[in-house]
Amino acid sequence: MVQRYRVKVNRAGVFFTGVTIFLGVSAVNTSNNLLYLVVSFLLSFMLLSGMLSLYNLKGLSLELVPPKEVFAQRAENFKLILRNQKRFPSFTLLVEAQGSRAFFPILKKEEVGFITLKFPRRGYYDKISVRVSSSFPVGLFERFFHTDVPINLVVYPYPVAVSRRIRVEGLQRGEWLTVGRKKGYEHLQSVREYMGEPVKLIHWKLSAKVGKLYVKDFLAEESPPVVLSLDMVDGTLEDKLSKLAYLVLEYSKRGTPVGLRLDGTYLEPALGEEHKRKMLRELALFGDSHRVRA
């Protein structure tokens, strides 16, 4: 796609242009050769500045790498990769999206930064509009362009906490399950990254070896599998999806096998990060969700 470059005159540029016009009018009225020479120099300097600023933005490409999980209405840090395909480097580049900024003083071939993005609702986002600008070389003018960066991102529903006692499919009839973090400490199930658990659960030997905190994930003596569905929770469709997203996260954190039943979709109870994200994806794309352009 051909980029359309635009120019914005900065305050210094307004002053410089005004002085150039004033001296040009004076040179015509007085026929002063020295003034003609000065005006010619100023016009040449302005032309050279414009050519350098245009070259500075040529040959740039952007890539946005999202985190593993992105939820609606939550600000998330995206990895921004800026590449320069020209022979010479670019300078003082500013990348903006949704009010967040990433500044690159110099770009030789490739630089990495971070930009904070927030999506208002769940669904599939195929691209996001980004503004790239620079006041190089002397700050008289700001040259910029807008581009759509592909992200191909599924944004999960915003998790909304539910009551601590809910009736779920998978337990005996009339039985209730408490939503919480209480676990038994009888059987070691796995080891995972630290997420605010009690200190006594930290696996100190492994943490010291890898230089990062890990905790022991114990399985309670009774951890029956559960199947989540829309009729378990109340509210509008969006409220229900948000509450189910919360339950998916909560049960996955507890180590409880959890499944999902939606209209025409059934995921059997299981454990693991991949299974958790598969359920969140089903919730994100359910019903009225559609392609959204940010």
Side-chain angles (χ1 to χ4, degrees):
M1 183 179 65
V2 178
Q3 302 291 356
R4 184 177 181 181
Y5 299 93
R6 300 176 182 271
V7 177
K8 176 183 176 183
V9 183
N10 296 330
R11 182 176 300 179
V14 173
F15 177 79
F16 185 89
T17 304
V19 171
T20 302
I21 294 175
F22 174 77
L23 293 178
V25 173
S26 300
V28 172
N29 290 336
T30 61
S31 299
N32 189 311
N33 291 332
L34 180 59
L35 288 179
Y36 278 120
L37 184 62
V38 172
V39 171
S40 298
F41 172 77
L42 294 178
L43 290 175
S44 299
F45 182 80
M46 188 183 301
L47 177 62
L48 180 61
S49 175
M51 293 176 61
L52 288 175
S53 67
L54 179 60
Y55 179 82
N56 193 54
L57 292 185
K58 289 283 188 179
L60 301 180
S61 64
L62 298 93
E63 180 183 354
L64 284 172
V65 181
K68 293 181 179 180
E69 296 176 1
V70 179
F71 294 89
Q73 303 177 36
R74 282 186 180 177
E76 303 285 354
N77 286 328
F78 282 64
K79 184 178 180 181
L80 173 63
I81 303 175
L82 186 58
R83 298 184 177 92
N84 179 21
Q85 302 170 355
K86 304 188 301 294
R87 180 179 178 182
F88 297 102
S90 295
F91 302 91
T92 63
L93 298 172
L94 182 64
V95 181
E96 300 174 271
Q98 297 184 0
S100 180
R101 298 181 174 186
F103 181 69
F104 299 86
I106 182 172
L107 174 64
K108 295 180 179 179
K109 289 301 179 182
E110 179 177 308
E111 293 290 339
V112 176
F114 290 91
I115 195 166
T116 303
L117 301 178
K118 185 178 180 180
F119 299 89
R121 56 188 183 274
R122 67 183 176 91
Y124 174 75
Y125 290 77
D126 58 350
K127 62 185 68 175
I128 186 169
S129 179
V130 175
R131 183 181 188 268
V132 182
S133 63
S134 175
S135 296
F136 180 82
V138 290
L140 298 180
F141 310 99
E142 179 186 62
R143 194 176 290 272
F144 64 93
F145 67 89
H146 290 89
T147 184
D148 290 332
V149 180
I151 53 174
N152 299 320
L153 173 68
V154 175
V155 177
Y156 303 144
Y158 177 74
V160 174
V162 299
S163 62
R164 298 186 63 84
R165 298 183 68 210
I166 57 172
R167 192 185 300 273
V168 298
E169 180 181 342
L171 301 180
Q172 295 181 1
R173 187 176 184 85
E175 195 172 351
W176 295 81
L177 184 66
T178 301
V179 179
R181 295 188 178 181
K182 185 177 180 181
K183 292 185 179 182
Y185 302 101
E186 294 81 9
H187 305 287
L188 179 62
Q189 180 187 19
S190 62
V191 178
R192 57 183 171 81
E193 292 185 13
Y194 177 75
M195 300 177 62
E197 289 80 4
V199 177
K200 62 182 179 181
L201 295 180
I202 296 178
H203 195 304
W204 294 108
K205 186 175 181 179
L206 178 62
S207 300
K209 184 177 180 179
V210 301
K212 192 174 183 180
L213 286 179
Y214 280 82
V215 295
K216 302 173 185 178
D217 201 3
F218 290 94
L219 187 64
E221 294 214 357
E222 291 187 1
S223 184
V226 298
V227 178
L228 305 176
S229 60
L230 290 174
D231 56 6
M232 293 172 45
V233 290
D234 56 1
T236 64
L237 175 61
E238 294 302 320
D239 292 336
K240 291 183 176 182
L241 293 173
S242 293
K243 291 177 181 180
L244 290 184
Y246 169 82
L247 292 174
V248 168
L249 297 174
E250 188 69 20
Y251 285 124
S252 297
K253 188 181 299 184
R254 294 181 58 191
T256 300
V258 58
L260 181 66
R261 186 189 302 277
L262 296 175
D263 295 345
T265 301
Y266 176 69
L267 300 177
E268 294 185 357
L271 294 171
E273 291 295 312
E274 184 178 351
H275 179 69
K276 178 187 72 174
R277 295 192 183 107
K278 188 174 182 180
M279 289 187 292
L280 291 173
R281 181 181 178 89
E282 291 293 336
L283 294 173
L285 301 179
F286 180 78
D288 297 332
S289 176
H290 57 279
R291 288 177 175 260
V292 184
R293 176 180 174 181

